[in-house]
């Protein structure tokens, strides 16, 4: 029971020290003690406050309970008095006769006043069976409706309730009232009597009892407080004014010093007697069990150590040999902190300090190198650069020369295979940064992945030609796959590698392998995404004469969802499209491709901009719904995409544009003035708002520049929308700039240092198709007009030098005009456009579109559209607000007519069979 004896001895020592500390210092110490006893932080004072609060709560609770009980008793008394008074008056002789008499009020009013005064209630009133007052203390209220419940009383019962009513001479407000029936001799109810006392007067009954209740509570509080004060005073004397935290801390520290501290602690008084010795001091000095209360010379220590401990002189880091241990001794006097005079001695074992300090320094350097590797390796997502970072961080702290060799598949970003053995040197770093020791990029034969393990190579097997005498080869693996190998050499006077160095090299290579694998996977995914995006974006601008177009696409994070398009339409018109899909990566690129394809498909229908966006919005909503139903959405969908669709007509110079949550275009006039036309506001695609899209039209002068862009150009973290538009206005202002020059100037002025969003810029300079290249005729609804229009068209073709196209064009116009006259509606018109192709347009007021079919042998008609499709390169239908337009295109190349069909070619379509 060694520990228990030590604890009791130590406890008494520490307690005496605490008592001494509280009383030291003469008069000054006594003053501090008195303040400590009065301190609210002492344990005694806290107990006093807690007991006082409990007493206050108990007294307050008792007083409250008495008040509530008295209040309830008063209310019950009021109910009893009200019911007794009402029954007494109802059963009084003459009450029933007066109610059935001719003048009940005159008879009963005096009786009622006398009754409520005698009974000690505030009112007694009589009412008929309808609840009309016949008596009341205030005569003005007679004849009015009674306030309260009377149905139970009419049925022969009694009612006791709280109810309001008119003012009374004795009080106002809610009253405790009773309602009883007045019975005739035959038992029928002929009237009702109510008596009651106001709540205000009921409270007066309680108020008369309050002095007694409060006096009793005050007396109890005084007696309890006096007893609590006496107990607290006694407790203060026992604890010497210490607070609970101080007392708990004192005992906790006492146990910690005795048993947990890994330094020896001795307390020795002025006479050399040991007052306290903890477990570590007993172990270091090999003290006997009864060391406490014994003198230091009697403990069996060597003379020098005993003299040092028994002396009263302070000592700092004195080294003493105790057995086979080397101890560092520190000694300080206890005064003025420990009460009685003495010394505190601390002992520290420094035997293993020298050996441990050497190993600790090596471990510290290794940890620092691993930390540096974690900070410097993998700063980029480039495979080769990551390998170079591993070599850089290892030289010269760990090795003199480092090479990193990776599989060819890893360098290309592909998945490494277990069968691959060919490696290529990706990084070399020699002494003083020399990279010429081994050629970078050289093919290196490697062992199979299952046989390549970490190993040490010494002497001639290393690389003696380069003065390299020690080598560590470490495979680099990530996710169970071999990526390559790292080789660490030491040369000259550097010590050879040991087993611990091999383990460290494996840790270093493992960390680098994870970074290289991340870079490899990023390279693969980035290559895939870039390839996908390049295949989805337009490869170039299609050939057309309506617009001179230039564009820029700048992704912010490798692969984005922004796109643009230039789509030739019928009638020499051109559609300009700019869209933005929220997010980056493969999902955004794939979504962009789907939307771009949909826009292309919808544009072939020659839809108006608002109709095209409406169909695109329906498509996006349907795709989102399908993906949600199939649980294929990995947290993101197409919802949130924006699009701007504009159609330019070079014949009229008009632009029709609609937007789905996308920034509107900018227009630069030929004189250099910049405007931002307002387009009707519409939500982004796929939000399911159900609102129709709207478009706006504007007319552009020839040479104007139409600028479309995404929000990444005008918005970033340091610039809001208004500031971005102002900067764009400044960059666009100025005449005589082509689209390419405009793109370059805008990107130079607007591109932020660190873009956070993709940027698309599309600049189109307008051209006009001159009147000399346009011919129009109005056609009356008369079959005879077909020949006149056909002849006029032939003359215009001759003026344009297109006589060779006359036969095919006349055939096409004849079929289309005849169909319009026969099946269409007025007005009917014909238009020829001479551009890169010859365009024929026949418009009518009908919305019925013809369909191409192959006529049967027995059919007399149905071959007209077949002939049109045979002689035209393209044809189609475009709907307008007034009807439809059937158009055809016949190709021209550099103004030269391409070989077309002749009459003989047409006749050759049918075999020469006898009819």
């Amino acid at each position: 029971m060694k520990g228990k004896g030590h604890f009791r001895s130590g406890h008494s020592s520490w307690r005496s020290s605490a008592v001494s500390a509280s009383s030291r210092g003469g008069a000054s110490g006594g003053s501090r003690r008195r303040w400590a006893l009065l301190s609210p932080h002492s344990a005694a004072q806290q107990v006093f406050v807690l007991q006082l609060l409990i007493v206050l709560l108990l007294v307050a609770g008792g007083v409250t309970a008495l008040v509530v009980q008295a209040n309830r008793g008063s209310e019950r008394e009021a109910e009893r008095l009200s019911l007794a008074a009402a029954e007494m008056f109802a059963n009084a002789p003459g009450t029933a006769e007066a109610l059935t008499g001719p003048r009940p009020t005159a008879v009963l009013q005096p009786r009622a006043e006398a009754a409520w005064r005698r009974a000690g209630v505030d009112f007694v009133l009589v009412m008929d069976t309808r609840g009309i007052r016949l008596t009341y203390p205030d005569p003005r209220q007679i004849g009015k409706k009674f306030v309260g419940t009377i149905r139970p009383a009419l049925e022969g019962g009694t009612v006791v309730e709280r109810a309001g009513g008119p003012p009374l001479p004795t009080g106002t407000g809610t009253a405790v009232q009773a309602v009883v029936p007045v019975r005739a001799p035959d038992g029928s109810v002929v009237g009702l009597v109510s008596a009651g006392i106001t709540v205000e007067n009921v409270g007066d009954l309680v108020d008369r009892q309050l002095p007694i209740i409060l006096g009793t509570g005050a007396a109890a509080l005084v007696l309890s407080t006096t007893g609590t004060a006496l107990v607290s005073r006694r407790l203060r004397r026992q604890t010497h004014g210490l607070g609970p935290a101080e007392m708990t801390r004192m005992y906790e520290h006492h146990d910690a010093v005795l048993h947990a501290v890994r330094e020896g602690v001795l307390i020795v008084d002025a006479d050399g007697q040991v007052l306290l010795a903890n477990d570590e001091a007993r172990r270091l000095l090999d003290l006997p069990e009864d060391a406490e209360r014994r003198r230091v010379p009697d403990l069996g220590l060597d003379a020098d150590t005993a003299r040092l401990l028994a002396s009263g002189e302070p000592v700092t880091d004195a080294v003493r040999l105790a057995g086979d241990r080397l101890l560092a001794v520190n000694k300080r006097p206890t005064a003025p902190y420990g009460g009685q005079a003495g010394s505190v001695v601390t002992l520290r074992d420094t035997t293993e300090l020298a050996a441990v300090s050497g190993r600790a320094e090596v471990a510290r350097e290794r940890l620092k190198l691993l930390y540096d590797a974690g900070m410097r390796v993998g700063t980029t997502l480039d495979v080769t650069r990551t390998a170079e970072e591993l070599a850089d961080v290892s030289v010269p702290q760990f090795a003199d020369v480092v090479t990193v060799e990776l599989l060819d598949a890893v360098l290309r970003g592909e998945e490494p295979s277990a069968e691959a053995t060919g490696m290529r040197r990706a990084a070399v770093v020699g002494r003083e940064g020399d990279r010429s020791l081994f050629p970078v990029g050289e093919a290196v034969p490697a062992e199979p992945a299952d046989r390549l393990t970490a190993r040490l190579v010494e002497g001639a097997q290393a690389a003696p030609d380069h003065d390299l005498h020690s080598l560590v080869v470490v495979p680099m693996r990530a996710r169970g796959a071999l990526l390559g190998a790292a080789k660490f050499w030491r040369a000259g006077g550097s010590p050879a590698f040991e087993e611990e160095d091999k383990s460290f090299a494996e840790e270093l290579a493992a960390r680098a392998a994870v970074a290289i694998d991340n870079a490899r996977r990023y390279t693969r995914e980035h290559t895939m995404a870039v390839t996908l995006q390049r295949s989805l974006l337009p490869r170039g601008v299609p050939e057309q004469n309506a617009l001179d177009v230039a564009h820029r696409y700048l992704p912010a994070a490798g692969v984005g969802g922004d796109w643009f398009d230039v789509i030739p339409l019928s009638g020499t018109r051109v559609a300009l499209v700019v869209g933005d899909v929220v997010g980056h990566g493969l999902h955004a690129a794939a979504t962009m491709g789907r939307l771009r394809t949909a826009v292309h498909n919808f544009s072939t229908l020659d839809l108006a901009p608002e109709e095209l966006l409406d169909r695109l919005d329906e498509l996006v909503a349907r795709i989102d719904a399908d993906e949600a139903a199939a649980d294929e959405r990995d947290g993101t969908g197409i919802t949130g995409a924006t699009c701007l669709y504009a159609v330019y007509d070079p014949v009229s110079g008009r632009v029709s544009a609609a937007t789905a949550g996308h920034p509107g275009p900018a227009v630069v006039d030929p004189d250099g003035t910049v405007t931002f036309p307002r387009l009707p506001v519409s939500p982004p695609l796929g939000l399911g708002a159900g609102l129709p899209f709207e478009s706006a039209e504007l007319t552009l002068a020839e040479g104007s520049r139409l600028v479309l862009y995404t929000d990444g150009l005008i918005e970033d973290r340091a610039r809001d929308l208004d500031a971005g538009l102002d900067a764009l206005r400044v960059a666009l202002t100025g005449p005589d700039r082509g689209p390419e020059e405009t793109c370059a100037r805008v990107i130079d002025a607007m591109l932020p240092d660190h873009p956070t969003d993709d940027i698309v810029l599309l600049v189109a300079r307008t051209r006009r198709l001159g009147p000399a290249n346009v011919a129009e005729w109005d056609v009356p609804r008369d079959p005879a007009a077909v020949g006149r229009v056909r002849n006029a068209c032939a003359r215009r073709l001759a003026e344009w030098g297109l006589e060779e196209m006359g036969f095919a064009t006349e055939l096409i116009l004849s079929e289309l005009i005849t169909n319009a006259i026969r099946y269409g509606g007025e007005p009917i018109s014909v238009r020829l456009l001479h551009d890169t192709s010859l365009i024929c347009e026949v418009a009518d007021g009908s919305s019925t579109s013809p369909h191409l079919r192959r006529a049967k042998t027995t059919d007399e008609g149905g071959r007209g559209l077949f002939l049109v499709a045979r002689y035209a390169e393209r044809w189609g239908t475009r709907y307008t607000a007034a009807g439809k337009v059937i158009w055809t295109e016949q190709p021209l190349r550099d103004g030269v007519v391409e070989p077309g069909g002749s009459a003989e070619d047409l006749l050759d379509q049918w075999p020469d069979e006898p009819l």
Side-chain angles (χ1 to χ4, degrees), residues 776-779 789 817 820 825 827-831 841-844 885:
E776 294 184 83
W777 298 274
D778 293 328
V779 181
V789 175
I817 296 173
I828 303 173
S829 62
V830 176
R831 186 170 73 166
E841 296 182 347
V842 177
D844 66 79
V885 175

Side-chain angles (χ1 to χ4, degrees), residues 14 17 257 264-269 276 309 311-315 329-335 337-338 340-347:
W14 278 76
S17 300
V257 170
V265 177
L266 290 173
I267 299 179
V268 183
D269 64 10
L276 177 68
L309 298 179
S311 68
E313 299 178 359
V315 175
V329 182
N330 288 274
K331 184 178 179 182
R332 293 291 184 273
T334 58
Y337 310 102
Q340 64 187 72
S343 301
V344 177
V345 181
T346 60
L347 309 170

